[in-house]
Amino acid sequence: MTRGTDTGNRDTVQTTRTMLETVEVIKRLEGATVTEVAAELGYAKSTVYRHLSTLADLGYVVKTDNEYRVGLRFLELGQHARTRQAGYDLTTKKVEEIAERTGERAQFIVREHGDAVYIHRAFGDDAVRTDPGIGSRIPLHATAAGKAILANLDEDELFDVLEQTDFEGFTDHTITDREELLDELAEIRERGYSFNREENLKGLHAVGVPILGDGGVVIGALSVSGPSHRLRGDRFHEDLPNLLLGTANELELNITHT
């Protein structure tokens, strides 16, 4: 009886995994047929068809002719998850203010499952649109906001995250050595803000600051991103850090007392 229960649980887990993998393939391909999904995943077309039919019945995918695409039901779930983040309402306005004042791209990012996730973003008049969009995941170790978050985790939590980090090198400037990253995180912790010097994307610089809640718990991070030829000198090393530190201070007071 126990073996049967275990087998049933494994089957259920695999079914869930296959269904979610199917959605991910449709998203990545920006729409796909049953045959295309089956080829990507290496599953039988009959298996993929059953999953897609169930997802369509529930409203999570939409079928047009022979092609399936991700349905708007996911938008409802994503918006629910987004608005449940601590400080969501308060950070929205501040991100927009920063973008307007700097003319660059501003964003609020949180950590989930070892990645940084975009919750808010806004564009100033001169902003470059290099980010992949709300809800997209970016590496913690290669971004200003991500490093600001990492620098303020407690030691046990930080080492748990680093154990799961593959230290992928996105450019020649990406920190791919654990000890080098730890040294930089110590510097970030001391000065209160972080830099991204073309570590995630060639030609892009960014400045980030953590947003902390009660007891110093990391809620997320604010950052400003822009072309390296504009984010340099005093503007990069003093003006933007000071602006972000002041904004973070306001946010933390409001979040704590709301």
Side-chain angles (χ1 to χ4, degrees):
M1 183 175 181
T2 301
R3 287 196 298 272
T5 301
D6 290 343
T7 300
N9 289 339
R10 286 196 299 271
D11 290 344
T12 300
V13 169
Q14 183 57 45
T15 297
T16 303
R17 180 183 295 275
T18 302
M19 186 170 288
L20 293 175
E21 287 175 343
T22 299
V23 174
E24 289 289 341
V25 168
I26 293 172
K27 171 181 173 290
R28 177 163 51 81
L29 297 180
E30 297 185 355
T33 64
V34 171
T35 300
E36 290 169 336
V37 175
E40 286 286 321
L41 295 177
Y43 295 139
K45 287 195 290 185
S46 58
T47 299
V48 172
Y49 176 76
R50 287 197 300 273
H51 286 298
L52 286 171
S53 295
T54 300
L55 287 164
D57 288 343
L58 296 172
Y60 290 103
V61 301
V62 176
K63 183 181 180 183
T64 304
D65 296 327
N66 291 321
E67 185 175 86
Y68 292 86
R69 56 184 173 81
V70 175
L72 293 176
R73 177 62 65 87
F74 283 106
L75 179 63
E76 179 184 353
L77 293 177
Q79 184 65 6
H80 173 82
R82 185 185 180 199
T83 57
R84 294 305 181 272
Q85 291 294 323
Y88 171 82
D89 292 330
L90 295 170
T91 54
T92 303
K93 183 178 179 181
K94 290 301 181 184
V95 168
E96 292 170 353
E97 288 178 359
I98 292 169
E100 184 176 356
R101 288 184 62 178
T102 63
E104 307 291 355
R105 193 186 84 212
Q107 48 268 322
F108 176 66
I109 287 171
V110 300
R111 176 177 68 94
E112 184 181 74
H113 296 310
D115 295 316
V117 183
Y118 282 95
I119 298 298
H120 294 303
R121 78 194 194 296
F123 300 94
D125 291 340
D126 299 319
V128 292
R129 296 175 180 260
T130 56
D131 70 302
I134 297 299
S136 297
R137 295 173 178 272
I138 58 176
L140 289 166
H141 73 285
T143 56
K147 288 190 289 184
I149 290 172
L150 288 174
N152 288 275
L153 297 177
D154 65 50
E155 186 174 337
D156 289 341
E157 196 170 15
L158 172 60
F159 280 92
D160 283 345
V161 173
L162 295 184
E163 283 296 319
Q164 302 171 42
T165 301
D166 59 10
F167 291 99
E168 179 180 355
F170 298 92
T171 72
D172 292 340
H173 301 283
T174 308
I175 297 175
T176 56
D177 179 77
R178 175 180 169 135
E179 294 306 315
E180 183 181 351
L181 179 62
L182 287 172
D183 289 342
E184 178 159 341
L185 294 180
E187 294 176 8
I188 294 168
R189 199 175 300 116
E190 183 174 349
R191 67 174 176 247
Y193 52 89
S194 58
F195 293 116
N196 170 4
R197 299 178 177 89
E198 300 188 75
E199 295 166 50
N200 186 42
L201 187 66
K202 187 176 181 180
L204 188 77
H205 280 180
V207 184
V209 296
I211 303 299
L212 307 178
D214 287 337
V217 174
V218 184
I219 294 173
L222 284 174
S223 66
V224 175
S225 307
S228 56
H229 74 274
R230 286 206 302 261
L231 270 62
R232 60 190 178 92
D234 289 345
R235 187 184 189 218
F236 186 49
H237 294 99
E238 295 182 19
D239 297 344
L240 291 176
N242 287 335
L243 171 62
L244 288 173
L245 287 171
T247 303
N249 185 41
E250 290 181 40
L251 271 173
E252 289 171 354
L253 286 171
N254 287 326
I255 290 171
T256 299
H257 296 287
T258 298

PDB file of all heavy atoms in Angstrom, residues 140-153:
ATOM      1  N   LEU A 140      21.280  37.362  -9.613  1.00  0.00           N
ATOM      2  CA  LEU A 140      21.619  38.176  -8.446  1.00  0.00           C
ATOM      3  C   LEU A 140      23.079  38.608  -8.475  1.00  0.00           C
ATOM      4  O   LEU A 140      23.397  39.746  -8.136  1.00  0.00           O
ATOM      5  CB  LEU A 140      21.334  37.389  -7.163  1.00  0.00           C
ATOM      6  CG  LEU A 140      19.867  37.159  -6.801  1.00  0.00           C
ATOM      7  CD1 LEU A 140      19.753  36.088  -5.727  1.00  0.00           C
ATOM      8  CD2 LEU A 140      19.224  38.457  -6.315  1.00  0.00           C
ATOM      9  N   HIS A 141      23.965  37.713  -8.877  1.00  0.00           N
ATOM     10  CA  HIS A 141      25.396  37.983  -8.757  1.00  0.00           C
ATOM     11  C   HIS A 141      25.939  38.941  -9.808  1.00  0.00           C
ATOM     12  O   HIS A 141      27.069  39.417  -9.682  1.00  0.00           O
ATOM     13  CB  HIS A 141      26.193  36.671  -8.825  1.00  0.00           C
ATOM     14  CG  HIS A 141      26.257  36.067 -10.191  1.00  0.00           C
ATOM     15  ND1 HIS A 141      25.185  35.417 -10.768  1.00  0.00           N
ATOM     16  CD2 HIS A 141      27.271  36.011 -11.107  1.00  0.00           C
ATOM     17  CE1 HIS A 141      25.523  34.985 -11.967  1.00  0.00           C
ATOM     18  NE2 HIS A 141      26.787  35.333 -12.199  1.00  0.00           N
ATOM     19  N   ALA A 142      25.138  39.255 -10.840  1.00  0.00           N
ATOM     20  CA  ALA A 142      25.638  40.059 -11.952  1.00  0.00           C
ATOM     21  C   ALA A 142      24.848  41.341 -12.158  1.00  0.00           C
ATOM     22  O   ALA A 142      24.923  41.948 -13.220  1.00  0.00           O
ATOM     23  CB  ALA A 142      25.623  39.229 -13.235  1.00  0.00           C
ATOM     24  N   THR A 143      24.087  41.762 -11.159  1.00  0.00           N
ATOM     25  CA  THR A 143      23.282  42.980 -11.266  1.00  0.00           C
ATOM     26  C   THR A 143      23.443  43.814 -10.012  1.00  0.00           C
ATOM     27  O   THR A 143      23.721  43.291  -8.927  1.00  0.00           O
ATOM     28  CB  THR A 143      21.792  42.636 -11.450  1.00  0.00           C
ATOM     29  OG1 THR A 143      21.358  41.803 -10.369  1.00  0.00           O
ATOM     30  CG2 THR A 143      21.552  41.905 -12.765  1.00  0.00           C
ATOM     31  N   ALA A 144      23.250  45.127 -10.161  1.00  0.00           N
ATOM     32  CA  ALA A 144      23.392  46.022  -9.011  1.00  0.00           C
ATOM     33  C   ALA A 144      22.342  45.717  -7.951  1.00  0.00           C
ATOM     34  O   ALA A 144      22.652  45.597  -6.758  1.00  0.00           O
ATOM     35  CB  ALA A 144      23.283  47.475  -9.470  1.00  0.00           C
ATOM     36  N   ALA A 145      21.090  45.595  -8.363  1.00  0.00           N
ATOM     37  CA  ALA A 145      20.027  45.308  -7.400  1.00  0.00           C
ATOM     38  C   ALA A 145      20.238  43.953  -6.743  1.00  0.00           C
ATOM     39  O   ALA A 145      20.041  43.790  -5.533  1.00  0.00           O
ATOM     40  CB  ALA A 145      18.663  45.350  -8.096  1.00  0.00           C
ATOM     41  N   GLY A 146      20.649  42.975  -7.539  1.00  0.00           N
ATOM     42  CA  GLY A 146      20.879  41.639  -6.991  1.00  0.00           C
ATOM     43  C   GLY A 146      21.978  41.624  -5.957  1.00  0.00           C
ATOM     44  O   GLY A 146      21.850  41.001  -4.890  1.00  0.00           O
ATOM     45  N   LYS A 147      23.077  42.331  -6.230  1.00  0.00           N
ATOM     46  CA  LYS A 147      24.180  42.370  -5.273  1.00  0.00           C
ATOM     47  C   LYS A 147      23.796  43.159  -4.019  1.00  0.00           C
ATOM     48  O   LYS A 147      24.244  42.820  -2.912  1.00  0.00           O
ATOM     49  CB  LYS A 147      25.426  42.956  -5.931  1.00  0.00           C
ATOM     50  CG  LYS A 147      26.056  42.008  -6.948  1.00  0.00           C
ATOM     51  CD  LYS A 147      27.415  42.489  -7.427  1.00  0.00           C
ATOM     52  CE  LYS A 147      27.285  43.707  -8.318  1.00  0.00           C
ATOM     53  NZ  LYS A 147      28.604  44.116  -8.865  1.00  0.00           N
ATOM     54  N   ALA A 148      22.961  44.192  -4.180  1.00  0.00           N
ATOM     55  CA  ALA A 148      22.484  44.929  -3.006  1.00  0.00           C
ATOM     56  C   ALA A 148      21.666  44.021  -2.093  1.00  0.00           C
ATOM     57  O   ALA A 148      21.745  44.112  -0.861  1.00  0.00           O
ATOM     58  CB  ALA A 148      21.655  46.137  -3.450  1.00  0.00           C
ATOM     59  N   ILE A 149      20.871  43.144  -2.697  1.00  0.00           N
ATOM     60  CA  ILE A 149      20.089  42.180  -1.914  1.00  0.00           C
ATOM     61  C   ILE A 149      21.010  41.175  -1.233  1.00  0.00           C
ATOM     62  O   ILE A 149      20.909  40.930  -0.027  1.00  0.00           O
ATOM     63  CB  ILE A 149      19.069  41.462  -2.819  1.00  0.00           C
ATOM     64  CG1 ILE A 149      17.968  42.431  -3.256  1.00  0.00           C
ATOM     65  CG2 ILE A 149      18.463  40.254  -2.098  1.00  0.00           C
ATOM     66  CD1 ILE A 149      17.017  41.858  -4.304  1.00  0.00           C
ATOM     67  N   LEU A 150      21.921  40.586  -1.991  1.00  0.00           N
ATOM     68  CA  LEU A 150      22.831  39.577  -1.444  1.00  0.00           C
ATOM     69  C   LEU A 150      23.648  40.133  -0.273  1.00  0.00           C
ATOM     70  O   LEU A 150      23.852  39.441   0.736  1.00  0.00           O
ATOM     71  CB  LEU A 150      23.788  39.078  -2.525  1.00  0.00           C
ATOM     72  CG  LEU A 150      23.202  38.178  -3.617  1.00  0.00           C
ATOM     73  CD1 LEU A 150      24.261  37.897  -4.680  1.00  0.00           C
ATOM     74  CD2 LEU A 150      22.674  36.876  -3.030  1.00  0.00           C
ATOM     75  N   ALA A 151      24.101  41.367  -0.389  1.00  0.00           N
ATOM     76  CA  ALA A 151      24.970  41.960   0.633  1.00  0.00           C
ATOM     77  C   ALA A 151      24.267  42.129   1.974  1.00  0.00           C
ATOM     78  O   ALA A 151      24.926  42.258   3.009  1.00  0.00           O
ATOM     79  CB  ALA A 151      25.487  43.314   0.155  1.00  0.00           C
ATOM     80  N   ASN A 152      22.934  42.100   1.947  1.00  0.00           N
ATOM     81  CA  ASN A 152      22.193  42.350   3.177  1.00  0.00           C
ATOM     82  C   ASN A 152      21.437  41.133   3.700  1.00  0.00           C
ATOM     83  O   ASN A 152      20.627  41.262   4.625  1.00  0.00           O
ATOM     84  CB  ASN A 152      21.240  43.529   2.963  1.00  0.00           C
ATOM     85  CG  ASN A 152      21.982  44.840   2.881  1.00  0.00           C
ATOM     86  OD1 ASN A 152      22.279  45.460   3.890  1.00  0.00           O
ATOM     87  ND2 ASN A 152      22.315  45.265   1.666  1.00  0.00           N
ATOM     88  N   LEU A 153      21.701  39.973   3.137  1.00  0.00           N
ATOM     89  CA  LEU A 153      21.163  38.740   3.690  1.00  0.00           C
ATOM     90  C   LEU A 153      21.990  38.331   4.903  1.00  0.00           C
ATOM     91  O   LEU A 153      23.180  38.655   4.988  1.00  0.00           O
ATOM     92  CB  LEU A 153      21.209  37.621   2.653  1.00  0.00           C
ATOM     93  CG  LEU A 153      20.374  37.808   1.374  1.00  0.00           C
ATOM     94  CD1 LEU A 153      20.619  36.634   0.437  1.00  0.00           C
ATOM     95  CD2 LEU A 153      18.904  37.952   1.696  1.00  0.00           C
TER      96      LEU A 153
END
